[in-house]
């Protein structure tokens, strides 16, 4: 059974940093795309970033230059380093896996999801 478990969320002041982790179990995802999305109250789930099997990355404009995605295939884990956080970054953050090699930015193109972790940024 495939499981994705996020951790590392919490509350931080504007300008601060957080590092999210997403540990996968049940199968190996080193050949596939792993991504991060977020969803704020009353809004649709939003793509943030993704990384391919060859470490190609892609970022939404809203987080470019502030967030960084990385993966450790040996640990079957993907990370999201978030710096210079803003109040508008407040949301539930989800990791997801896409069982393809090409990047995608819409939620329906991803096959497995974690349960989410809350990130709250205060001004």
């Amino acid at each position: 059974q495939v499981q994705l478990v996020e951790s590392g969320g919490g509350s931080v002041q504007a300008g601060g940093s957080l590092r999210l982790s997403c540990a996968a179990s049940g199968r190996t995802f080193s050949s596939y795309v792993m991504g991060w999305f977020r969803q704020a109250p009353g809004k649709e789930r939003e793509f943030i970033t993704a990384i391919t099997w060859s470490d190609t990355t892609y970022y939404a404009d809203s987080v470019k230059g502030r967030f960084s995605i990385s993966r450790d295939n040996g640990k079957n884990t993907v990370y999201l380093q978030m710096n210079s956080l803003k109040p508008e970054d407040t949301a539930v953050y989800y990791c997801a896996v896409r069982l393809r090699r090409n990047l995608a930015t819409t939620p329906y193109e991803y096959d497995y999801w974690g349960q989410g972790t809350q990130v709250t940024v205060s001004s």
Side-chain angles (χ1 to χ4, degrees):
Q1 184 178 355
V2 173
Q3 267 196 315
L4 301 177
V5 179
E6 301 99 335
S7 60
S11 297
V12 65
Q13 288 192 326
S17 298
L18 284 174
R19 189 193 194 206
L20 306 184
S21 299
C22 173
S25 61
R27 66 179 294 173
T28 299
F29 294 108
S30 58
S31 298
Y32 303 119
V33 174
M34 298 188 79
W36 287 94
F37 290 74
R38 66 186 179 189
Q39 189 166 17
K43 294 189 176 181
E44 294 186 350
R45 194 163 295 190
E46 173 192 21
F47 171 82
I48 300 173
T49 180
I51 186 168
T52 69
W53 63 277
S54 61
D55 288 343
T56 298
T57 57
Y58 182 76
Y59 296 91
D61 288 343
S62 58
V63 304
K64 200 173 293 183
R66 300 188 298 123
F67 290 12
S68 177
I69 188 171
S70 61
R71 66 193 298 167
D72 184 335
N73 289 331
K75 295 182 178 180
N76 225 18
T77 298
V78 64
Y79 303 97
L80 181 63
Q81 178 66 44
M82 304 186 294
N83 299 326
S84 303
L85 282 161
K86 306 175 182 179
E88 51 263 44
D89 293 319
T90 295
V92 177
Y93 283 68
Y94 299 89
C95 71
V97 174
R98 169 174 164 78
L99 297 180
R100 300 287 190 275
R101 292 198 166 200
N102 57 312
L103 286 167
T105 61
T106 57
Y108 75 86
E109 294 177 288
Y110 285 75
D111 301 283
Y112 296 104
W113 292 85
Q115 82 289 348
T117 185
Q118 176 70 45
V119 171
T120 303
V121 184
S122 58
S123 56

